Amino acid sequence: MISFDKASHIVKLTNGSIDYVVYINTEGYPETIYFGKAMRDFNPETMRTAPKWHDETHVYDPKTGSERWFADGFKQNVAPLELSPHARRDKRGAPIICMRENGSFATDFLYVSHRIFNGTEPLVGLPSAHGDNCSTVEFLFRERTRELYVKHRITIFDDCDVVVKNYTIINKTGLNVTLSRAMSMQLDLPRNNYALTHFSGRWAAERNAVTNKLVDGVQEVSSNLGATSAEENTFAYLSELGATYTHGEVIGFNLVYSGNFKLRTYSDMLGGTHITYGINDEDFSWVLADGDSFVTPQAVVCYSSDGIDGMSRNMHDFVRNHIVTYRHDREYKPVLFNSWEGCYFTFTTDSIISYIDDAAKIGAELFVLDDGWFGRRNDDRDGLGDWYINTDKIDLGKVIAHCHAKGMKFGIWFEPEMINFTSDLFKAHPDYALREGNEDVFLGRHQMHLDMTRDDVVDNIYNQMIAVLDRYDVDYLKWDYNRRVYEHYSGHLGAERQGEVYHRLTLGYYKLLGRIAARYPDMMIEGCAGGGARFDLGTLCYCPQIWTSDESNPARRCTINFNTSFGYPLCTMGTHVNDCKLFDYRAKGQFALFGTYGYEMNPNKLTAEEVAMLNETAELYKRYHKDVVENGDLYHIADPSDGEYYIMQCVSKDRATSLVLSMNLRCQKDRFRFVRLRGLDPDKRYKNSHDGKVYYGDYYMNVGLNCSQEWHQEFECQLFVLEEAE
Ligand code: DGJ
């Protein structure tokens, strides 16, 4: 709910659990006077008081030739603002910079009006949060000297403690204006006793949690690689010093965007924290023609006073309810078998059919033919850009018919944004590759990036893709992306527009992905980027799940999954059993249950015992995934980065069923003998699948789950199912 009190100039957004309060001061700057747990008392007078000694409070006014105080007690450079000016009044870092006609850097937006409405409105050209159970305030600002406007929206959701914010910049100046920074939000907090946790990594080791106490000055989390990247993820959080999984204030951040981003915290000398988040301003500029608008991606801010897991569960509800749009998402997701690690590029129609037959024996319900079925693709040096079937290698119609005859769904791999220089497409259109004239071009995995800023390139790939997808009955598409952007130059855009390339590439990705998703609404698309290098909310708006990493060995993957799941629900995290030797197939199957379960190995080589193990875990997936893992609540219990155990717990929303997974990483017998569970109903009685014993929820949450008896060796997994007893 959002209300405006005319007398006090206060806009209050609340969902009964959190409040976000904006005071519109008479100087024309909306001040964020509160963001936190819902409360009863508000006094703008005391809540917005800056330090008394702070004297940046008055200006020389040439109109009167005298000194005047800022109206309304406004204190520049200290007041917590919704949109700080640049090169005037504020040195903390403005989210928007747009030079004036006279060359001045000053950008100073002042309040004009606001409107409040139920729900939210989609963003033009960008994916965004959706849903009815939310309300939005839209402020209109005008730049002090010209007809340059900003619409600033804040939406609060009723079913999760999340607000989303963004700016739309509108040019009515009669001239072109150039944006040199166009971020999505600012949030000023009146304290800085926080640590910043972000998720850095690399290929096959995505999302290591890095936590640093905020220090005075600037800290940044960013990507300039063209996509959200394996190096940094868009999700990050601030936690009050001393916060734990269950206690303390934690504020999570994310961006509904898949391109270059920058989250910047500036911790000031007066004990405040100034946060900006949005498109990375490195090598960014945008020429905004008169009459045009620039829409910034939505920034997501999630609040919890119940620790890291409180924030995390709110993020999960937000993603499930307001980001994922695939229409069958809340339905059961089939057990997936992917051909990649089993045979890579080397297969025939018969070998794939034998894979399908053996995949069915381990409970697979969806068979995915990965890389290698198109063009002249027999290794990774050719084929990208040529999306016609390699009929010498594979009879796709026969494979799909076989799959469907067995009652299985069929899926196929594409990497639409890339091109090999050996491809027919490159021979016909060498200008389609992103490059600068005849300069040499870095080849990431032997491939170049298509110039997705061009509509004709998007159209070409779209037409090639639909020629395959219209002809064949495809239930699933894996959308891969295996290199980063280095040469961000488009010969198609003029010199003054090269700062637009990165953002236009991301818009091109959404155009193509959006058109494919709209044309085949029943086809599930899984995102992927050389593992999990584009795991973000922008992608999730089209793809209900994303391949989390190319590392499927649970000893390493456990850290990747554990950390990814702070910001993203398990149902979005593709997790497969492969043939890694450290674990037996039962353990690998149990591990994959805490994600979207699938397989990736040579199924012809499985022994009868292994087939039996995998059938056992596939059955558990079919029985419990939807209610407990997909739609339930997640609790992080033991962090594998500590090197000893990996323990996660899921509880169904009705608190009738819980799954607990524990993995012993270091042959420790007693360290976690009694694992205190969370989220159960203390008054419900639960039967433990291991020993058949029945105890109240409060027993498991206070005494704990006794795990000691079976932890005899490293890399042993235990899965406990607790079900409400009659
Ligand atoms: C990278 C992906 O992460 C893998 O799963 C696989 O699809 C390969 N690309 C195929 O080239």
Side-chain angles (χ1 to χ4, degrees):
M1 193 183 88
I2 306 181
S3 57
F4 174 58
D5 181 56
K6 272 195 181 130
S8 61
H9 293 206
I10 282 186
V11 176
K12 178 176 167 185
L13 299 88
T14 185
N15 62 9
S17 173
I18 55 164
D19 292 340
Y20 192 104
V21 185
V22 180
Y23 169 69
I24 304 162
N25 73 29
T26 49
E27 193 65 38
Y29 298 109
E31 298 184 24
T32 321
I33 57 172
Y34 183 71
F35 177 47
K37 206 170 173 169
M39 343 178 279
R40 281 155 300 189
D41 288 327
F42 278 100
N43 185 344
E45 198 49 47
T46 47
M47 288 170 79
R48 63 186 288 262
T49 304
K52 288 211 169 64
W53 56 266
H54 185 80
D55 68 349
E56 296 194 359
T57 51
H58 38 291
V59 286
Y60 165 70
D61 185 345
K63 283 187 205 119
T64 57
S66 59
E67 180 174 322
R68 81 167 172 85
W69 293 79
F70 285 133
D72 201 6
F74 172 66
K75 295 193 174 185
Q76 74 168 33
N77 209 27
V78 177
L81 301 183
E82 281 298 309
L83 178 52
S84 280
H86 180 73
R88 286 170 61 80
R89 310 254 191 281
D90 209 314
K91 300 300 281 183
R92 294 173 293 181
I96 299 172
I97 303 178
C98 177
M99 204 179 250
R100 289 178 178 165
E101 213 193 334
N102 62 0
S104 159
F105 287 97
T107 312
D108 190 2
F109 289 102
L110 298 171
Y111 171 86
V112 177
S113 62
H114 71 269
R115 69 177 179 115
I116 292 168
F117 56 94
N118 287 332
T120 175
E121 289 170 4
L123 302 185
V124 180
L126 284 171
S128 56
H130 60 84
D132 296 331
N133 42 355
C134 57
S135 34
T136 302
V137 56
E138 182 182 273
F139 295 97
L140 181 68
F141 297 85
R142 180 183 180 277
E143 211 280 328
R144 188 180 284 272
T145 62
R146 49 196 161 152
E147 297 287 305
L148 185 66
Y149 293 90
V150 167
K151 278 187 183 166
H152 167 40
R153 283 194 195 153
I154 314 173
T155 299
I156 187 161
F157 294 86
D158 300 333
D159 54 358
C160 50
D161 291 344
V162 166
V163 296
V164 300
K165 306 174 69 168
N166 90 308
Y167 307 115
T168 299
I169 305 150
I170 305 155
N171 181 10
K172 293 186 180 173
T173 62
L175 302 164
N176 282 355
V177 297
T178 302
L179 304 169
S180 53
R181 186 183 294 160
M183 299 183 98
S184 300
M185 72 139 217
Q186 143 173 8
L187 179 68
D188 290 339
L189 300 169
R191 54 189 70 84
N192 62 6
N193 57 330
Y194 294 110
L196 173 67
T197 300
H198 58 105
F199 297 89
S200 305
R202 58 183 186 279
W203 175 75
E206 298 88 343
R207 290 174 286 285
N208 298 298
V210 181
T211 302
N212 290 307
K213 186 176 174 302
L214 288 192
V215 290
D216 283 352
V218 171
Q219 270 157 264
E220 284 179 0
V221 180
S222 65
S223 164
N224 62 2
L225 294 161
T228 32
S229 85
E231 280 74 358
E232 283 292 356
N233 193 262
T234 46
F235 170 68
Y237 64 83
L238 287 178
S239 53
E240 181 182 0
L241 296 181
T244 63
Y245 289 151
T246 52
H247 294 99
E249 179 179 73
V250 181
I251 304 174
F253 298 91
N254 211 331
L255 200 64
V256 188
Y257 192 58
S258 310
N260 287 355
F261 67 91
K262 185 191 277 182
L263 172 70
R264 178 183 183 272
T265 62
Y266 170 63
S267 173
D268 68 33
M269 312 301 154
L270 304 172
T273 307
H274 172 80
I275 302 143
T276 48
Y277 198 8
I279 295 175
N280 194 336
D281 57 356
E282 181 182 315
D283 291 350
F284 171 86
S285 65
W286 192 275
V287 181
L288 194 61
D290 179 45
D292 280 0
S293 303
F294 184 87
V295 183
T296 68
Q298 277 178 341
V300 178
V301 189
C302 175
Y303 185 87
S304 178
S305 52
D306 294 326
I308 298 160
D309 268 3
M311 179 277 304
S312 171
R313 285 193 299 278
N314 269 298
M315 275 291 193
H316 294 174
D317 285 337
F318 171 72
V319 173
R320 287 184 294 218
N321 299 344
H322 302 290
I323 289 293
V324 171
T325 50
Y326 173 61
R327 74 171 183 213
H328 300 301
D329 189 57
R330 289 305 176 96
E331 293 170 16
Y332 166 76
K333 283 203 189 121
V335 173
L336 185 159
F337 186 98
N338 181 296
S339 65
W340 178 244
E341 288 193 23
C343 56
Y344 298 103
F345 296 104
T346 310
F347 52 81
T348 61
T349 304
D350 287 344
S351 72
I352 289 298
I353 284 177
S354 80
Y355 267 42
I356 293 170
D357 290 343
D358 286 345
K361 293 182 190 146
I362 49 175
E365 299 160 304
L366 160 65
F367 182 86
V368 179
L369 180 58
D370 207 278
D371 201 349
W373 58 268
F374 54 92
R376 290 179 294 273
R377 185 85 166 163
N378 292 314
D379 57 35
D380 55 10
R381 289 171 183 266
D382 200 353
L384 295 175
D386 296 343
W387 298 107
Y388 52 83
I389 297 151
N390 183 347
T391 47
D392 291 341
K393 189 170 176 183
I394 189 96
D395 181 343
L396 197 60
K398 188 171 172 189
V399 165
I400 296 175
H402 187 80
C403 215
H404 286 157
K406 289 189 85 81
M408 289 166 79
K409 291 175 189 275
F410 178 79
I412 200 159
W413 181 96
F414 280 91
E415 190 175 359
E417 297 147 274
M418 300 292 166
I419 184 165
N420 287 118
F421 70 87
T422 45
S423 66
D424 293 342
L425 186 68
F426 188 80
K427 281 177 196 127
H429 300 284
D431 56 315
Y432 275 15
L434 197 63
R435 61 200 185 116
E436 189 173 342
N438 271 333
E439 291 230 37
D440 60 6
V441 187
F442 165 72
L443 293 176
R445 204 193 185 197
H446 312 290
Q447 64 202 49
M448 294 190 249
H449 200 293
L450 279 170
D451 186 349
M452 298 291 287
T453 71
R454 291 172 58 164
D455 283 344
D456 57 342
V457 172
V458 170
D459 287 345
N460 181 300
I461 301 298
Y462 174 76
N463 288 329
Q464 289 200 58
M465 289 176 80
I466 66 170
V468 176
L469 297 172
D470 280 358
R471 177 158 172 214
Y472 295 99
D473 195 0
V474 173
D475 307 289
Y476 160 108
L477 187 153
K478 180 172 170 188
W479 187 297
D480 208 343
Y481 181 87
N482 281 292
R483 64 158 286 177
R484 305 77 112 40
V485 179
Y486 284 92
E487 296 87 356
H488 55 95
Y489 185 89
S490 167
H492 189 66
L493 295 170
E496 74 287 356
R497 288 194 178 268
Q498 294 304 321
E500 300 178 11
V501 169
Y502 276 123
H503 183 55
R504 287 187 184 276
L505 290 176
T506 307
L507 295 179
Y509 166 52
Y510 293 144
K511 263 185 212 161
L512 185 56
L513 180 55
R515 282 168 78 183
I516 294 291
R519 189 175 178 101
Y520 310 101
D522 290 322
M523 181 179 75
M524 196 220 281
I525 308 178
E526 176 157 355
C528 175
R534 196 156 59 177
F535 207 114
D536 58 63
L537 298 182
T539 298
L540 282 173
C541 285
Y542 306 93
C543 308
Q545 63 193 52
I546 300 177
W547 180 228
T548 314
S549 175
D550 277 344
E551 177 59 89
S552 285
N553 173 350
R556 275 289 318 147
R557 182 55 110 75
C558 63
T559 311
I560 300 167
N561 276 25
F562 194 82
N563 290 336
T564 305
S565 69
F566 284 111
Y568 305 90
L570 294 179
C571 61
T572 63
M573 292 165 44
T575 305
H576 297 172
V577 176
N578 76 349
D579 75 352
C580 139
K581 304 287 180 276
L582 272 182
F583 295 79
D584 68 23
Y585 275 99
R586 178 177 291 108
K588 288 186 284 192
Q590 291 175 343
F591 175 79
L593 290 174
F594 281 65
T596 59
Y597 183 86
Y599 302 123
E600 206 158 325
M601 78 287 275
N602 182 344
N604 307 148
K605 290 193 175 158
L606 294 170
T607 65
E609 192 194 0
E610 290 166 345
V611 168
M613 286 177 178
L614 290 175
N615 266 307
E616 194 185 289
T617 45
E619 281 313 310
L620 289 169
Y621 175 81
K622 290 170 190 178
R623 183 148 170 214
Y624 295 112
H625 178 78
K626 186 165 163 287
D627 291 340
V628 188
V629 178
E630 172 124 21
N631 296 315
D633 286 329
L634 175 66
Y635 297 86
H636 296 89
I637 309 261
D639 183 346
S641 312
D642 296 340
E644 296 191 343
Y645 294 94
Y646 164 76
I647 306 177
M648 304 248 264
Q649 182 197 1
C650 288
V651 184
S652 60
K653 285 280 183 195
D654 63 4
R655 298 202 282 176
T657 314
S658 178
L659 256 59
V660 183
L661 178 74
S662 68
M663 197 165 88
N664 185 351
L665 297 169
R666 244 203 238 156
C667 203
Q668 291 277 13
K669 290 203 173 53
D670 294 326
R671 175 100 155 70
F672 274 84
R673 203 146 56 87
F674 289 98
V675 174
R676 280 186 167 167
L677 301 184
R678 308 213 301 270
L680 299 175
D681 182 337
D683 300 322
K684 277 194 165 106
R685 299 172 76 235
Y686 296 89
K687 185 170 177 186
N688 179 346
S689 62
H690 264 228
D691 57 14
K693 298 229 160 56
V694 177
Y695 295 109
Y696 280 106
D698 58 5
Y699 174 91
Y700 291 111
M701 293 193 289
N702 292 300
V703 175
L705 181 70
N706 190 334
C707 299
S708 61
Q709 66 272 27
E710 289 188 33
W711 282 354
H712 296 311
Q713 61 189 42
E714 291 179 298
F715 304 132
E716 185 173 317
C717 258
Q718 287 195 111
L719 180 78
F720 298 85
V721 182
L722 301 184
E723 277 183 295
E724 187 176 357
E726 298 292 301

